[in-house]
């Protein structure tokens, strides 16, 4: 018996020394070569290492998936900061990334545009604000373009729990069991657009884990939503203090547009939920309403991606990120909706595209059978009134001067506050037929929130 106890004590001592030494080794390794496997609360955890090679492209000296850029902006250059998570970083090669394509498209006009991709995998709204404060503002951007991924940007602020959040050895074991063993593709120099990344079971499991944000009457999501929005509002405030334009791109999760994937997820949830309890467009509706309320420019890609996905695969197989086609579509939609002011993707609107970032901003607030309301101003000439064109479809109805004073505009620091219109609906539109009313700064951008349907009975 004594011999058994002695062997047991020796075994425990050896085990303790082995665990302790392993913990020390992993901590030293992480200190020398930081890895996202090991827990910490900084966005640096997931940041790329300077000059790492990904698909024959070397990250720049700051660890971003972009070419080298100077801190000092060149004169005459319109500089955009691209903030985001792994969607902005991209799983496709650099030349196929939507931010790279957007930069190329914007440079086809006379203005030199520089889009700095500062995407870091695994981060969220809290980190976007920290990255902007720590590194972004000193780059003197003219615009901040934030890519907000619906699938997990509402969930990112939940603190990690479990032994692996404290022990580096436990974190390594946890990663190997939950991620490493379920990953099919090991990063290489060759990108394959049609090759799955995860096993099907792991992929569906990831989508199922995220899907609670689509459940109606979800108190937990309400608090996560409020927290995420608080960071977006702080980013807007930081930008406004420096006269920096700010816009948000709402990126849909694949489960929102893939009906087959939705069915798989709901099949898993069948024991404690039914389809009527879920609305896969709910987060987009809520955040779009709040962004409009806070007068933050945005483009929601959900509807366009849902339509296009019926014809073309837009997400990499079993991966959760866009493939090459998805990135290309995203670049086109962002340019059309944020940089040329086009509210739709119809072919008839192509002639109005100017592809140049605008200093104007505005909002089409309401249209009913009494009046058409909105506001617009030029951030470079804050006290000057701009002209707004009112369209019925593609037909110009009238050009009016946005010079009505509103205290809410003054309180929101929109120049002198005299930038609104309240235009009576003309009799010709009261014919019982549907009309599509659009507002546009004359010779410039369409207003956020346009187009609006109008159908009025004859008086």
């Amino acid at each position: 018996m004594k011999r058994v106890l002695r062997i047991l004590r020796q075994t425990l001592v050896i085990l303790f020394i082995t665990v302790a030494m392993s913990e020390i080794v992993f901590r030293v390794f992480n200190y020398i070569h930081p890895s996202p496997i090991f827990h910490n609360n900084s966005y640096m955890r997931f940041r790329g290492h300077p000059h790492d090679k990904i698909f024959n492209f070397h990250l720049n000296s700051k660890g971003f998936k972009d070419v080298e850029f100077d801190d000092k902006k060149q004169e005459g250059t319109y500089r955009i900061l691209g903030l985001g998570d792994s969607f902005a970083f991209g799983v496709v090669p650099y030349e196929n990334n939507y931010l790279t394509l957007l930069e190329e498209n914007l440079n086809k006009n006379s203005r030199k545009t520089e889009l700095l991709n500062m995407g870091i995998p695994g981060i969220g709204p809290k980190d976007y604000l920290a990255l902007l404060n720590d590194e972004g503002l000193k780059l003197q951007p003219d615009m901040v373009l934030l890519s907000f991924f619906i699938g997990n940007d509402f969930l990112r602020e939940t603190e990690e729990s479990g032994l692996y959040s404290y022990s580096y050895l436990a974190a390594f074991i946890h990663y190997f069991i939950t991620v490493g063993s379920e990953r099919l593709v090991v990063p290489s120099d060759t990108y394959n657009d049609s090759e799955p990344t995860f096993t099907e079971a792991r992929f569906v499991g990831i989508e199922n884990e995220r899907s609670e944000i689509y459940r109606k009457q979800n108190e937990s999501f309400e608090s996560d939503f409020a927290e995420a929005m608080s960071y977006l509002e702080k980013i807007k405030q930081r930008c406004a203090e420096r006269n920096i334009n700010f816009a948000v791109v709402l990126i849909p999760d694949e489960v929102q547009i893939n009906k087959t994937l939705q069915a798989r997820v709901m099949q898993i949830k069948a024991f404690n939920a039914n389809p009527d309890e879920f609305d896969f467009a709910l987060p987009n509706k809520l955040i779009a309403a709040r962004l409009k309320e806070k007068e933050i420019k945005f483009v929601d890609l959900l509807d366009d991606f849902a339509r296009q996905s019926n014809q073309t695969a837009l997400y990499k197989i079993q991966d959760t990120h866009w493939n090459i086609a998805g990135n290309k579509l995203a670049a086109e939609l962002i340019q059309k909706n944020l940089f040329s002011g086009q509210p739709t993707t119809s072919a008839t609107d192509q002639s109005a595209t100017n592809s140049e970032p605008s200093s104007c901003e505005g909002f089409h607030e309401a249209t009913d059978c009494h009046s058409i309301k909105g506001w617009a101003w030029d951030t470079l000439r804050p006290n000057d009134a701009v002209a707004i064109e009112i369209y019925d479809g593609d037909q110009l109805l009238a050009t009016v001067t946005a010079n009505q004073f509103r205290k809410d505009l003054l309180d929101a620091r929109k120049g002198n506050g005299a930038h609104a219109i309240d235009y009576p609906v003309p009799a010709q539109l009261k014919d019982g037929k549907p009309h599509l009313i659009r507002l546009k700064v004359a010779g410039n951008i369409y207003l956020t929130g346009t187009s609006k349907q109008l159908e009025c009975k004859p008086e």
Side-chain angles (χ1 to χ4, degrees):
M1 185 65 181
K2 291 182 178 179
R3 184 170 180 273
V4 172
L5 291 175
R6 185 171 65 252
I7 293 174
L8 181 60
R9 283 197 300 269
Q10 291 174 346
T11 301
L12 290 175
V13 170
I14 292 172
L15 180 62
F16 174 80
I17 294 174
T18 301
V19 170
M21 291 301 296
S22 298
E23 186 74 23
I24 293 171
V25 168
F26 279 122
R27 288 178 180 269
V28 171
F29 171 81
N30 187 65
Y31 179 81
I32 298 173
H33 195 79
S35 169
I37 295 174
F38 307 114
H39 174 74
N40 67 63
N41 291 319
S42 169
Y43 62 78
M44 294 296 292
R45 172 186 180 185
F46 302 97
R47 189 169 185 159
H49 301 117
H51 309 300
D52 271 2
K53 186 179 180 182
I54 300 178
F55 300 135
N56 292 314
F57 179 84
H58 289 275
L59 304 186
N60 65 22
S61 59
K62 294 179 172 62
F64 295 124
K65 194 176 178 181
D66 203 347
V67 297
E68 290 294 337
F69 54 80
D70 295 327
D71 287 355
K72 185 177 180 180
K73 180 177 63 176
Q74 293 183 1
E75 186 176 351
T77 297
Y78 190 88
R79 174 171 279 186
I80 304 170
L81 296 189
L83 301 180
D85 60 5
S86 54
F87 266 87
F89 187 87
V91 300
V92 299
Y94 167 76
E95 62 269 19
N96 301 116
N97 183 286
Y98 69 101
L99 294 179
T100 304
L101 297 174
L102 177 60
E103 181 181 44
E104 291 177 357
N105 293 339
L106 293 176
N107 273 301
K108 292 177 181 178
N109 60 65
S110 58
R111 170 181 273 177
K112 168 63 177 175
T113 301
E114 185 181 35
L115 201 164
L116 311 184
N117 186 343
M118 301 178 74
I120 299 177
I123 67 174
K126 180 180 179 180
D127 304 303
Y128 302 151
L129 175 62
L131 181 58
L132 177 66
N133 285 332
D134 294 347
E135 303 181 46
L137 293 176
K138 69 180 181 182
L139 298 174
Q140 298 178 303
D142 300 287
M143 180 181 189
V144 170
L145 182 66
L146 191 153
S147 296
F148 187 99
F149 178 45
I150 296 296
N152 62 20
D153 267 348
F154 291 115
L155 310 176
R156 195 57 68 180
E157 302 314 315
T158 302
E159 290 294 330
E160 293 189 47
S161 59
L163 179 61
Y164 58 86
S165 64
Y166 303 100
S167 166
Y168 281 42
L169 175 60
F172 176 79
I173 296 172
H174 175 266
Y175 174 82
F176 180 79
I177 293 174
T178 62
V179 180
S181 61
E182 295 170 328
R183 189 176 181 91
L184 296 176
V185 176
V186 177
S188 67
D189 290 340
T190 304
Y191 174 78
N192 188 337
D193 209 33
S194 60
E195 186 176 41
T197 300
F198 293 103
T199 64
E200 184 180 9
R202 177 56 181 163
F203 170 67
V204 175
I206 292 172
E207 294 293 352
N208 178 56
E209 291 165 6
R210 294 173 175 172
S211 63
E212 284 301 303
I213 66 173
Y214 309 113
R215 186 190 291 268
K216 304 171 187 176
Q217 310 295 326
N218 186 338
E219 293 183 2
S220 176
F221 172 69
E222 291 175 4
S223 68
D224 290 339
F225 175 85
E227 184 174 6
M229 277 304 308
S230 71
Y231 290 116
L232 296 188
E233 291 169 23
K234 290 175 183 176
I235 292 173
K236 183 203 172 184
Q237 181 180 359
R238 295 292 283 164
C239 290
E241 291 169 354
R242 291 161 174 77
N243 199 28
I244 300 170
N245 290 322
F246 176 49
V248 177
V249 178
L250 300 180
I251 298 177
D253 197 335
E254 184 174 3
V255 75
Q256 294 182 274
I257 67 172
N258 186 329
K259 299 300 181 184
T260 301
L261 182 56
Q262 282 184 24
R264 291 289 308 279
V265 169
M266 293 312 303
Q267 187 177 22
I268 296 174
K269 295 183 176 296
F271 293 104
N272 58 9
N274 64 71
D276 292 338
E277 297 176 14
F278 286 79
D279 179 356
F280 285 91
L282 178 62
N284 297 69
K285 298 173 186 175
L286 294 175
I287 195 170
R290 184 65 65 85
L291 291 172
K292 289 179 181 178
E293 177 187 337
K294 299 300 179 180
E295 297 180 353
I296 297 175
K297 293 180 182 179
F298 72 96
V299 55
D300 186 354
L301 304 182
L302 177 60
D303 290 343
D304 288 287
F305 265 71
R307 282 192 294 269
Q308 192 66 26
S309 66
N310 294 325
Q311 306 171 19
T312 307
L314 301 172
Y315 289 77
K316 195 171 186 293
I317 300 174
Q318 294 167 205
D319 184 281
T320 77
H321 297 91
W322 290 328
N323 60 14
I324 290 176
N327 277 269
K328 184 175 183 294
L329 177 61
E332 294 170 354
L333 292 173
I334 295 169
Q335 180 184 357
K336 185 179 294 294
N337 287 277
L338 290 180
F339 292 92
S340 59
Q342 296 298 317
T344 69
T345 57
S346 65
T348 57
D349 290 329
Q350 295 295 325
S351 61
T353 302
N354 58 30
S355 304
E356 186 171 347
S358 174
S359 61
C360 294
E361 61 180 47
F363 190 64
H364 184 172
E365 296 170 307
T367 291
D368 56 31
C369 293
H370 298 290
S371 65
I372 299 168
K373 298 180 180 179
W375 59 265
W377 72 312
D378 189 334
T379 59
L380 298 182
R381 292 175 289 277
N383 293 325
D384 293 352
V386 301
I388 293 181
E389 297 173 343
I390 302 175
Y391 288 85
D392 175 14
D394 294 323
Q395 180 183 358
L396 179 63
L397 292 176
T399 301
V400 297
T401 302
N403 58 5
Q404 295 184 20
F405 175 80
R406 282 188 5 201
K407 187 175 183 300
D408 62 317
L409 294 179
L410 181 63
D411 293 342
R413 299 180 180 178
K414 306 301 181 185
N416 58 12
H419 301 294
I421 66 166
D422 189 346
Y423 185 75
V425 172
Q428 69 192 77
L429 298 182
K430 300 177 181 180
D431 55 4
K433 299 178 181 179
H435 297 271
L436 185 66
I437 306 303
R438 301 190 295 166
L439 301 184
K440 178 183 180 182
V441 176
N444 207 290
I445 65 166
Y446 282 88
L447 273 56
T448 301
T450 214
S451 313
K452 297 190 183 300
Q453 296 288 339
L454 177 67
E455 187 170 341
C456 304
K457 297 180 180 179
E459 293 182 344

